[in-house]
Amino acid sequence: MSAGVHPAWLGSAVLGDDVVLTRDPRCGLGAEAYTIARSGGVTTVVAEDEAGLMYGSFHALRLQDDLEAQTHRPFVARRMMQHWDNVFVHPVMGQVERGYSGGSLFWEDGALTDDPDRVGDYARLLASVGINSVSLNNVNVHAGEARLLTDRIGEVAVLAARFRQYHIRVYLSVSFAAPMLVGGLDTADPADERVQAWWATATQRVYAAIPDFGGYIVKADSEGQPGPFAYGRTHAEGANLLAAALAPFGGEVYWRAFVYNHRQDWRDRTTDRARAAYDHFTPLDGEFAPNVILQVKHGPIDFQPREPVSPVLLSMPATRLAVEFQATQEYTGQQRHVCYLPPMWSAVLSTVADRVDAVVTVSNAGDDRYWTNHPLAQANLYAAGRLAWDPTLDPTALLDEWIARTFPPAAAGTVHELMRDSWAVYERYTSPLGVGFMVHPGDHYGPDVDGYEYSRWGTYHFADRDGVGVDRTTATGTGYTAQYPEPLASQYESRATCPDELLLFFHHVPYTHVLHSGVTVIQHIYDTHFAGAEAVSEMVSRWSDLPPSAVGEDLHARVSDRLREQHRSALEWRDQINTYFYRKSGIPDTKARRIY
Ligand code: GCW
């Protein structure tokens, strides 16, 4: 290939004549890698395979200055975007579970959408940031969606063709009970030969329709989804059943570790949800088939604004692991609040990058004209791909990279200022010091301090008149800290060394406990909540100072509207949290600000 060629995978992004692409199968760079250089106004890209040429071309599109030859290769071969899209509109969860960007890109009211170009654009968007795998449907697989695996596989093949143009393989979430749901069997027991034969045949048919199909995602024995426990089998036996069916075709199973008791009695102080994944899975280390990847949420609970890294990711050396992030902002403002998440993801990756085989992100995209509802939420999608390619990239540099490719220079400074610390700002006005889950039950939006306190979900803060937080120590609490290797186990065990931002995740402390920062817990709560809400009002004025013409009237209005809601919500958070803790503790704010 050479100058002037316009390969299909570039879509409408046309390279100029000043870009020379060379595919050299003997260059030894390896799959997906490329070398790029620019001098004298000419960019050269060399790669061993088509995918490498494609990634190099996308790099060429964002290159501005001369560059000495550089080689880029992905740090993991599996970089996946997962969708929680339903085929049929779910009565509670809607078309997309935890979707805040309109409808699904793939399905509408039970049928495949008729906008394949939009899917092609999405595929190009994902490929341009390095994503090479996508799963198309919700991990909660309902009866209708289970048929994607069987008689509706043709629809998956249509979508696979769109993604294939950009070297992206498709995956399906499947129900562990598929042999019963769509196979007519009376069991899904992994030890039953009829079940094994059913999976083998079903998988064979999938590959007949989609020869480069990637594999299955499975949420089993989790929040009501069926799984191997019903038959007295382990999760390794369950995962290996599907792995055996996929192995002849080179397919893989992403088996989720999100297994916990979701029917807990709040009176039971011995059960700790944070412990669950480790307790279930680490005894199985080494028992999974080679084509099973255990998919682990980055924190032990559930995508809260602040959690420690999941100890499962640090404790299963004989198991292939994927780390799971959530770009869809379920607990981080639902794409109505600005919350740039890569600083959080990058911190996790700095601890686990050398232990994972795959990086998985739950997508925040939908059929919204800006893809992500809040136009600024696109940056999370962008950086999720870029970090999966190279976890050492600096989140702020990635933000600027996205801004430069999205906004005119006149708007760049404003967008940067609005977004750079937006995760920290969000954290300040919501639940304090890592305690999490003070959200409205069900929809998970907005404050409700005791919303989950007496529920079955295992997410408690234990605030009383003296103090707040969950004692997860080994000395006096649930023993969760012992799931960490050293030095983390000791660091989290002791109040003296536990980082402030995670204090209430690991310890129950008096309101008068003095943080490393020098202020008491109660004063920290007041200070951060006033500061967080104040920062949002500054964001509102910063944006309104930007002339609409700098970004276009429509986009400007969309962001203004979302910022107004963020401001309203931040004030509500501030006042509910401050009032709640003032009433519990009776300790006034040293600065005598208004608390109700
Ligand atoms: O965070 C919880 C969500 C569920 C989701 C689940 C999961 C898809 O509230 O909606 O289900 O996590 O990750 O499986």
Side-chain angles (χ1 to χ4, degrees), residues 58-121:
F58 283 121
H59 192 155
L61 289 169
R62 59 176 185 262
L63 206 62
Q64 278 152 6
D65 304 319
D66 278 5
L67 187 76
E68 300 248 320
Q70 285 183 348
T71 296
H72 293 266
R73 52 172 59 88
F75 106 101
V76 279
R78 293 161 191 77
R79 307 176 299 278
M80 192 185 299
M81 210 39 87
Q82 291 189 352
H83 282 260
W84 287 353
D85 296 18
N86 299 312
V87 176
F88 296 94
V89 178
H90 186 274
V92 179
M93 294 298 174
Q95 187 78 69
V96 180
E97 180 151 348
R98 311 305 179 186
Y100 311 106
S101 304
S104 164
L105 287 161
F106 313 132
W107 285 282
E108 193 180 343
D109 279 332
L112 197 61
T113 56
D114 56 4
D115 193 358
D117 288 347
R118 185 75 167 161
V119 177
D121 287 348

Side-chain angles (χ1 to χ4, degrees), residues 230 240 294:
N240 293 350
L294 187 66

